[in-house]
Amino acid sequence: MLFDDVESVQEFYMNYAHDIGFSVRIGQQKLDDNGVVQWKRFLCARQGYRKQQTTAPVDPTKKNKKAQNTRETRCGCEAYMYFKRNSEGKYKIGALHEDHNHELVTPSKQHLLRSKRFVSEKAKTTLFNCHKASIGTSQAYRLLHVGAGGFEYVGCTKKDLQNYYSDFRNKIKDADAQMFIDQFGRLKEVDPGFFFEYEVNDGRLVRVFWADTTSRKNYSHFGDVVSFDSTYSTNQYDMKFAPFTGVNHHMQSVFFGAAFIADEKIESYVWLFQTFLRAIGEKHPKLIITDEDASMRAAIASVLPSTMHRLCMWHIMKKFPEKIGPHLLQDEEFWKRVNLCVWGSETTEEFESRWLALLSDYNLGNNDWLEGRYRIRESWIPAYFKDIWLGGILRTTSRSESANSFFNRFIGRKLALIEFWLRFDTALQCQRQEELIHDNTTLHTNPTLLTTWEIEKHGSYVFTHEVFEKFQEEVLAAREYCDIQSTTELEDRKIVTMTDNYRRIREVICFSTEQIYKCSCMLFESIGIPCRHIIRMFRGARLNEIPQHYITKRWMKNCKRNHAFDSDGNLLVEKATSSMAASMRRKMSSAQNKFEDIFRRAKTSEEGIDVLIQNLESLSLLFDPSTQTRQQEQENFIGCSIPNDVQVHPPNDTRAKGKCKRILGHADKNKRQKDSGSRKCTICKDVGHDRRNCPKKESGADTHES
């Protein structure tokens, strides 16, 4: 047999070996002065023996998984094929030894032969797309298996796919931070409204902040209330991911900007808040909500002195189970009273009486943590700031849980910074797509009205659907439950008392000349939606439309129609990609959809598949063969080149708080029962303390054996 090139010889022997049932390894070769192969040898993969390494004997009592799982693959097989180049430049098989000294694999295992396994273009594309969508390598392989119709048609094993991606992570290891910053620079070139700043210490990245045009525009519309959280651990360097979020007109979480910080010192937070203000045009938020962090509190007082600072109830409430002791974890009555005290107290007097009764009834008076939370009650208990505009962000823990759910796909994962960016960018696009869907639904559909009141119909025209649902609940309650008890006429106002379904007496002050009402429940002051008591007054005054004073702009359908500008007066225009890139993506999507449609029709018969393959082979001749290296494939995945000259290195030796976890709520009672939180003392085997403060240890009764 004669072959035109080395590749043809290799393909021939590989196919032969695959059909027979063994794997191939490349052996020796000889090149001439021009680098042309003169002769070459292909071996059975089990040829020869590995060199014996002089290592210490494995101790079976110790866990050395790598040493225990090392398996010998060589057995001295002498099968090989030798070929050489003749005078005409062709390659001819010079020798072939076919005998093997080992079993050959059966047909059902032929797809596991190493020399025929390779990560195909489809597998690479699926792998990279899955990682952008926060889907891991194992799930990507499962998707390939299902799509191919069997493991034998995937072309590689799951380990091959993991090794391929591991090679990518090793390639970017040292250049990760540099690529992360370079990516922001490219985004700035495409989108002039993209804002980012960073700081480097001794060549290592310590702080970076970014906000794109859409985020900055969102802040101009919804930046009155900001939630800031730095408890997320998202990367392999343990830098803290610190996002700024808020609530949009659909009552959804919306992204304003984010940062990575290497430490949680005051100066880091001062830099972060100052950078955030530069990004949003020095427009201070009215309210900022954070977790309990002394450095953060000091930085906010320094940089945002006019901004009201409150603590996130979600972060405080999630600590309750671990702070009260294991004996109360299963007490449902206790949790009901906690929720009634925290959420159900409308006045400060109610809260304080319920809190003190709770501590007394459950013997928690000596709990230092609860005592500390009581001292700062004005910063986290809703009863103390009912008259403060909250924008719906503190009413329940659902807002923080919503933001936590969004970021949860990154939390605790040891991602490289550039990996994080790819996943985060995809997730952010999904968040914004949800807003577009709600915008479309709000503008082009009408909600169902449940009363004949004209004021309800007017609310459906003005508010987004999500806000209108809240308003509609108040309208129904005003019709069904609100009864006027008494009216007191004064010189410039009228005071009306009424009852509602909560069996509380409400006072509504009516300023008749200005048509303004103030209710003691203060729902409008904190949420921006007229309460049932005020709506009842609208009905009594025969108003068919909601007064302009009670239409909060941020809840309106058209709240985002105004232009947004940066601090220099430049118009913020969303321009994420160039028109050429968008046009190319449309064409690629169209081509892929057409191929999938043709493939679906062709696969109904074997003749159809043969015709499709024949035409695809003809079509492939129109394009140059792919000569991409593995590094070029990886660079296409991340959208930037892997630099050789690295100026910004990843951080190291960072120290920060733990990651954020979800609260155990009322619905988790079964989980509480199985919770391993009732940790036992190693001395007395009792719960509620550890060996450091064990009473038996103090009395000299430590009998723990070494």
Side-chain angles (χ1 to χ4, degrees), residues 202-221:
D202 292 333
R204 298 197 176 273
L205 182 68
V206 291
R207 300 163 189 158
V208 57
F209 171 87
W210 72 91
D212 64 357
T213 303
T214 304
S215 301
R216 299 170 75 187
K217 288 185 68 175
N218 284 335
Y219 182 86
S220 70
H221 298 300

Side-chain angles (χ1 to χ4, degrees), residues 306-322:
S306 61
T307 298
M308 191 169 298
H309 183 202
R310 291 292 180 266
L311 301 180
C312 176
M313 294 191 63
W314 185 70
H315 286 94
I316 294 177
M317 292 296 289
K318 79 182 183 69
K319 296 178 183 177
F320 252 86
E322 62 187 73

